[in-house]
Amino acid sequence: MAGHFEATPGGGASVALDEVEIAILRSLAVQLLELIGPGDEPAEGEDPLAALFAEGPSEPPTDPALARLFPEAYGDGDKELREASAEFRRFTENDLRAHKREDALAVVRSLDALSPVSDGGAVLSLAPDECRHWLGSLNDLRLTIGTRLEVSDEDEGQDGSLYRLPDSDPRKPMVMAYLWLGALQETLVETLMPD
């Protein structure tokens, strides 16, 4: 099971992680939470239903990684499409941010709940609902890292440049994390696919 998810009875999945992998995953999830930002909790005495209808931002984020996580709904077309994208963003981005925060928090919490074995590693077992949170967070982490690395489709192919970086390249650790997260994501998807 080491290095990839395997299906468990009841629709869940499990993976063996060593101490370093646990630390990397946790660190990346915490960094993702910091990037997404804190949620807007209703103030004491404020109607929680009113918070559901609060309007969010209408402009896309300026940070390229956030822009990738919260893309324009209708692209960068003419004025009419930009206005439609702004309207869509205004009513959906807060909820999308909350969902992404929830996914990343689920990753952190499940890693924090692990009981390490003698070598410091552990087996992470996820219930079906936890698998969905992990899939969302793994995807968000890959999108964020890929944006920071300026990864293109050509880079990801088997003959792509990501696989040929010299050890001296300062991007190498993040590229390795990007590729590893992709492998984890792929095996998690495979475990959830019906036979």
Side-chain angles (χ1 to χ4, degrees), residues 158-178:
Q158 288 295 358
D159 297 332
S161 62
L162 286 182
Y163 295 93
R164 296 190 309 260
L165 284 179
D167 290 340
S168 61
D169 191 312
R171 298 173 298 160
K172 183 87 176 212
M174 286 312 295
V175 167
M176 297 305 294
Y178 175 80

Side-chain angles (χ1 to χ4, degrees), residues 95-124:
D95 189 49
L96 185 56
R97 279 182 185 266
H99 181 71
K100 290 179 181 300
R101 261 191 304 279
E102 184 180 322
D103 288 347
L105 277 171
V107 169
V108 171
R109 288 179 179 138
S110 60
L111 292 171
D112 286 349
L114 288 176
S115 299
V117 291
S118 60
D119 67 356
V123 174
L124 173 70

Side-chain angles (χ1 to χ4, degrees), residues 2 5 7 16 20 40 46 58 66 73 79 88 97 152 159 162:
F5 279 96
V20 173
D40 293 330
E46 183 181 353
S58 59
L66 284 173
K79 182 181 181 210
F88 184 82
R97 279 182 185 266
S152 68
D159 297 332
L162 286 182

Side-chain angles (χ1 to χ4, degrees), residues 53-136:
F53 296 103
E55 293 183 11
S58 59
E59 294 295 319
T62 56
D63 181 314
L66 284 173
R68 183 69 176 101
L69 291 175
F70 306 104
E72 290 286 79
Y74 303 108
D76 295 327
D78 61 19
K79 182 181 181 210
E80 193 173 298
L81 287 178
R82 287 192 308 273
E83 288 173 355
S85 285
E87 188 74 1
F88 184 82
R89 179 178 300 281
R90 208 162 51 103
F91 292 107
T92 61
E93 186 171 313
N94 286 345
D95 189 49
L96 185 56
R97 279 182 185 266
H99 181 71
K100 290 179 181 300
R101 261 191 304 279
E102 184 180 322
D103 288 347
L105 277 171
V107 169
V108 171
R109 288 179 179 138
S110 60
L111 292 171
D112 286 349
L114 288 176
S115 299
V117 291
S118 60
D119 67 356
V123 174
L124 173 70
S125 295
L126 302 174
D129 61 323
E130 293 172 312
C131 289
R132 287 187 290 279
H133 288 299
W134 269 76
L135 275 176

